[in-house]
């Protein structure tokens, strides 16, 4: 296939698998969270009546892995710009919208692979999927979440020129998104103001969708999770495509 979307998608996948250190290193943080928090806070969570904390935590860590991988995929835009590859790509007789779509799908695929690997690891430390057929629904939520945050990372990177600034902004955005998504704690008993903030967080719907599909418990509702994720993903993708189309090299 010579489609520019397919070419950019394939390039993102190849770049990911060529870096074995990146694959291994990106699994270290999720594994640390699963082991340290899962077994550290597990007894407390269980005594509080929350059940098995590993089963609650694992979907949140899967979403975290997707979030980090997808958002930091945007740094490749800055990298390609600095080393001249982006200029070669953009001067080609190809629509920038197609290039952006290919990059987004490629980055989302990489992020979903990362989330799937974390899911496999979590199975070895005690996580159990309650409904195998519904597990495939979790893959849909993983992919939509991956597209959303890949597009967001690319949109931000399109307006920046240095990697240090991108990393600072990413940390400023990623940590609140993660900690206020319900990945680490239930959101149904939060104080009013904090509960309102978590419902404004798009990652909350990704976490709830993945968790509900894997363990059968939806707090926000599967329809709400899917609809809101689709709407926000569409908006962010359009914004990211517009900003990428205005990149100057």
């Amino acid at each position: 296939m010579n489609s520019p979307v397919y070419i950019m998608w394939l390039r993102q996948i190849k770049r990911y698998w060529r870096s074995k250190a990146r694959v291994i290193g990106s699994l270290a943080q999720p594994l640390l969270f699963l082991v340290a928090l899962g077994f550290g806070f597990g007894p407390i969570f269980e005594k509080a009546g929350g059940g098995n904390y590993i089963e609650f935590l694992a979907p949140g860590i899967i979403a975290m892995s997707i979030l980090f991988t997808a958002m930091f995929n945007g740094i490749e835009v800055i990298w390609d710009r600095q080393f001249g590859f982006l200029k070669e790509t953009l001067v080609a007789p190809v629509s920038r919208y197609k290039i952006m779509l290919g990059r987004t799908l490629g980055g989302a695929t990489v992020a979903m692979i990362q989330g799937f690997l974390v899911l496999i690891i979590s199975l070895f430390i005690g996580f159990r999927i309650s409904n195998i057929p519904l597990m495939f629904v979790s893959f849909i939520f993983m992919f939509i979440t991956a597209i959303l945050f890949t597009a967001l990372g690319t949109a931000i990177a399109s307006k920046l020129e240095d990697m240090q600034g991108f990393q600072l902004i990413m940390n400023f955005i990623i940590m609140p998104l993660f900690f206020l998504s319900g990945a680490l704690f239930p959101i149904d008993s939060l104080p009013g103001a904090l509960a309102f903030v978590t419902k404004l967080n798009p990652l909350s719907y990704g976490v709830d969708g993945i968790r509900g599909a894997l363990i059968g418990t939806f707090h926000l509702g599967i329809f709400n999770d899917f609809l809101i994720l689709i709407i926000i993903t569409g908006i962010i993708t359009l914004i990211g495509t517009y900003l990428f189309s205005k990149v100057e090299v």
Side-chain angles (χ1 to χ4, degrees):
M1 295 178 63
N2 294 321
S3 168
V5 174
Y6 173 77
I7 292 173
M8 293 304 300
W9 173 82
L10 187 61
R11 178 177 176 271
Q12 296 292 95
I13 303 298
K14 287 182 176 179
R15 176 180 284 186
Y16 171 73
W17 286 113
R18 283 173 183 167
S19 177
K20 300 298 188 297
R22 176 182 174 183
V23 177
I24 297 173
S26 57
L27 293 174
Q29 187 179 42
L31 180 60
L32 176 62
F33 271 78
L34 282 170
V35 174
L37 296 182
F39 293 106
F41 290 108
I44 301 174
F45 191 80
E46 188 172 352
K47 288 180 180 179
N52 188 326
Y53 189 51
I54 291 290
E55 292 189 357
F56 178 86
L57 178 67
I61 301 304
I62 293 170
M64 180 197 79
S65 179
I66 293 173
L67 169 68
F68 277 58
T69 305
M71 290 285 280
F72 277 99
N73 183 74
I75 203 170
E76 294 182 4
V77 175
I78 301 174
W79 182 275
D80 289 346
R81 178 189 292 166
Q82 291 185 353
F83 287 89
F85 180 81
L86 186 61
K87 183 177 181 179
E88 296 177 3
T89 303
L90 295 182
V91 298
V94 177
S95 169
R96 292 191 177 189
Y97 298 103
K98 292 182 179 179
I99 295 173
M100 168 62 179
L101 180 59
R103 295 185 68 100
T104 301
L105 290 176
T109 303
V110 168
M112 185 173 174
I113 292 172
Q114 196 72 37
F116 181 75
L117 292 176
V118 175
L119 173 60
I120 297 300
I121 292 173
S122 66
L123 294 175
F124 286 96
I125 63 173
F127 178 68
R128 294 293 177 267
I129 300 172
S130 63
N131 191 327
I132 298 298
L134 200 60
M135 176 184 68
F136 295 100
V137 176
S138 73
F139 295 157
I140 297 175
F141 279 106
M142 288 182 197
F143 193 61
I144 298 174
T145 303
I147 292 177
L148 166 60
F149 291 107
T150 301
L152 180 58
T154 302
I156 295 172
S158 298
K159 302 299 294 181
L160 299 175
E161 296 183 358
D162 64 286
M163 297 183 189
Q164 291 78 13
F166 178 82
Q167 291 173 341
L168 288 173
I169 291 176
M170 285 299 99
N171 287 328
F172 180 76
I173 295 175
I174 285 176
M175 300 315 290
L177 283 174
F178 171 56
F179 284 108
L180 295 176
S181 67
L184 302 180
F185 49 82
I187 62 175
D188 50 1
S189 58
L190 293 176
L194 195 56
F196 177 73
V197 172
T198 59
K199 290 182 179 179
L200 293 178
N201 181 0
L203 184 61
S204 299
Y205 301 94
V207 170
D208 190 60
I210 295 170
R211 179 178 289 133
L214 291 177
I215 68 173
T217 303
F218 291 93
H219 291 285
L220 301 172
I222 185 172
F223 179 76
N224 290 335
D225 292 335
F226 183 77
L227 181 62
I228 293 175
L229 271 181
I230 286 291
I231 293 174
I232 297 177
T233 299
I235 293 172
I236 296 298
T237 302
L238 289 175
I239 294 173
T241 301
Y242 173 77
L243 293 177
F244 184 79
S245 69
K246 300 299 181 181
V247 168
E248 296 181 2
V249 293

